[in-house]
Amino acid sequence: RYWKALWSLPDEQQKRVMQEPLRKRARFLSFVRRVTVKGPVYDNCTILAPDGLVLCTVDRKKLQWYVRRELADYVNGQEESVIKLRFEPRGRYGIPAGSTAASDGSLSGQEVKQLEKRQQYYTSFKENRCVACGSDQNLARYNLVPSCYRTFLPTRYQPGSHDVLLMCIPCHHRGDLEHGQRVKSSLASQVGVDPEQKSLGKADPKNAARISALGLLKGGDAVPEARAELVFKRILNTMETPDAEPAPEEETNGDDLTAPRDFSFEALCILHDPEYTAFVDRARTQAPKLYGHLTARWPHAFEVLFGATRWSRERQSAAAAKQEKWEQHVGRQVVDAWSEAHDGDLSGLICRCRALFLETIRPRFLPDHWDVSQRVAVRRT
């Protein structure tokens, strides 16, 4: 089944999957299948102004939205792929009416060319393929502006269709790693913000306890008894000392067999946890000598080991949340600093994201008339 799914991918995507470590390839392939868009992104349906001029190409759902609200009508003979508006729009090609010098003809020659190119981009048909490798399979939308910046952009500067391109999942993954990180570091340094998260102190000792517990269970009966005792004492002292390093005088606590076991509510919950029961059964079967030796000296040994291995999931989710919160913090600083330095104009920030995308990914199949310096459509709030 795995090989069948792999060989169904285009050559470029197969190469990308094979770059993953052997143990991760099936999971990455499953990820590709799961996040792929379920249908074509570009339906290339057309919206006409009341005077018959082509305004833009959109998907079929957008046409149905206008017709359902009696704001437009289907054009005869177009098989429901073209509509004409019943009202005059407030602007054309992403530019509000009367907001530029286009209305009085005072645009320079360069500005006229940019406006024409913008019109051509909005009205041209777009292909459903990856802009990087050209594949038409396993596509997803890729935002040129990372979410840590989009969150803090004012509504009128939120990126439009020009800044959301199609990429296949492997290229999308590469874009997140290469382009996304480069944008964050480049923009942060450009406005004098440090993008690196400051160290919060020493490494969490419970992470070392987790690794030791996994290693002890993996070694099983092959671990010498003396070594198993030493490792378990370290795990015990760490897991039973909340948020702190074990003190030197506590090193002998693991040998105190007469110390009463504190059966707290949490401990009782662990004893009745189906995952804990399966954990103990697996240890008894795979490492009976280790299980017997540890439980003879510390009756609650496997409760401690289970807690150490289970803690890893909580820690990973907490670390991910902390990293995301830090990126949002840096994103807000970058947007605020850029706005202050450019009198509130954030168009340059978005164009910088586009330029870094070209430099990093080097896409070969961009939509016709796509331009890195194309003016950002300022929306009305």
Side-chain angles (χ1 to χ4, degrees):
R1 184 178 178 182
Y2 163 77
W3 291 108
K4 182 178 180 181
L6 180 63
W7 298 136
S8 67
L9 299 178
D11 292 342
E12 290 292 331
Q13 296 188 25
Q14 288 182 28
K15 293 178 182 178
R16 177 62 187 84
V17 173
M18 297 303 288
Q19 290 175 5
E20 291 292 316
L22 183 61
R23 68 183 185 280
K24 294 184 178 180
R25 289 175 188 171
R27 185 169 58 184
F28 187 79
L29 187 59
S30 174
F31 169 76
V32 169
R33 296 293 187 186
R34 188 171 63 254
V35 302
T36 299
V37 293
K38 307 309 178 186
V41 174
Y42 300 129
D43 289 328
N44 291 317
C45 298
T46 305
I47 295 181
L48 304 179
D51 58 6
L53 186 66
V54 177
L55 292 177
C56 59
T57 56
V58 297
D59 58 25
R60 198 171 300 278
K61 287 184 179 179
K62 179 62 72 174
L63 295 193
Q64 296 170 351
W65 186 89
Y66 278 104
V67 173
R68 190 165 56 247
R69 286 164 176 74
E70 299 182 352
L71 299 174
D73 301 296
Y74 287 114
V75 176
N76 294 333
Q78 298 297 329
E79 299 179 356
E80 298 187 353
S81 62
V82 181
I83 61 171
K84 179 182 286 189
L85 298 180
R86 296 182 179 181
F87 63 93
E88 180 62 34
R90 291 187 295 183
R92 300 195 178 191
Y93 318 120
I95 302 176
S99 64
T100 69
S103 57
D104 57 16
S106 61
L107 291 175
S108 66
Q110 183 65 24
E111 290 173 329
V112 169
K113 289 182 179 179
Q114 289 182 352
L115 187 61
E116 291 176 350
K117 198 168 187 178
R118 183 185 188 86
Q119 176 181 348
Q120 291 169 343
Y121 176 78
Y122 271 86
T123 58
S124 64
F125 284 8
K126 300 170 183 63
E127 298 186 53
N128 289 283
R129 65 179 181 182
C130 174
V131 298
C133 68
S135 172
D136 60 356
Q137 298 182 35
N138 304 314
L139 302 175
R141 296 174 179 86
Y142 182 79
N143 286 281
L144 301 187
V145 182
S147 61
C148 61
Y149 300 133
R150 295 199 310 273
T151 302
F152 303 108
L153 289 177
T155 302
R156 59 198 186 99
Y157 280 106
Q158 286 295 322
S161 61
H162 197 80
D163 300 294
V164 181
L165 300 175
L166 280 185
M167 298 181 75
C168 66
I169 300 302
C171 291
H172 194 293
H173 187 252
R174 175 188 160 214
D176 285 336
L177 295 178
E178 298 180 11
H179 168 251
Q181 293 303 318
R182 187 175 177 187
V183 166
K184 293 171 187 176
S185 61
S186 176
L187 291 181
S189 61
Q190 194 167 339
V191 297
V193 175
D194 186 2
E196 297 297 328
Q197 184 170 4
K198 300 295 186 295
S199 174
L200 300 179
K202 296 181 179 179
D204 195 326
K206 289 189 177 181
N207 188 48
R210 161 189 161 273
I211 296 173
S212 297
L214 293 173
L216 183 60
L217 294 169
K218 184 177 181 180
D221 290 344
V223 181
E225 291 185 355
R227 177 63 180 171
E229 288 184 13
L230 178 62
V231 172
F232 179 75
K233 288 178 184 177
R234 293 173 180 170
I235 297 171
L236 179 63
N237 288 329
T238 301
M239 298 305 296
E240 291 193 344
T241 306
D243 303 324
E245 296 279 2
E249 60 271 19
E250 294 177 340
E251 291 292 335
T252 58
N253 288 353
D255 292 325
D256 185 4
L257 302 182
T258 62
R261 176 69 175 134
D262 179 19
F263 282 96
S264 62
F265 177 76
E266 182 179 357
L268 290 173
C269 289
I270 289 179
L271 291 176
H272 293 86
D273 190 333
E275 290 188 23
Y276 171 70
T277 303
F279 174 81
V280 171
D281 291 341
R282 187 164 55 250
R284 285 174 177 165
T285 303
Q286 298 177 358
K289 293 182 180 179
L290 177 68
Y291 178 83
H293 179 70
L294 291 181
T295 53
R297 300 205 61 185
W298 298 277
H300 61 287
F302 277 80
E303 295 174 42
V304 176
L305 293 176
F306 177 70
T309 57
R310 192 175 185 177
W311 175 87
S312 64
R313 295 184 223 161
E314 301 170 358
R315 177 60 180 171
Q316 288 171 0
S317 60
K322 185 180 295 184
Q323 177 63 25
E324 181 178 357
K325 186 176 181 179
W326 176 258
E327 288 188 353
Q328 295 290 322
H329 172 69
V330 173
R332 179 189 288 275
Q333 285 186 308
V334 169
V335 172
D336 291 345
W338 191 287
S339 178
E340 183 178 352
H342 297 83
D343 298 325
D345 185 6
L346 296 169
S347 302
L349 184 148
I350 298 174
C351 290
R352 181 59 180 158
C353 293
R354 298 174 186 169
L356 290 173
F357 179 76
L358 293 185
E359 295 174 12
T360 307
I361 305 300
R362 299 186 181 278
R364 296 172 292 161
F365 303 94
L366 285 168
D368 293 338
H369 313 296
W370 189 93
D371 184 14
V372 66
S373 60
Q374 187 177 98
R375 173 182 168 178
V376 177
V378 180
R379 304 179 181 182
R380 291 190 179 186
T381 56

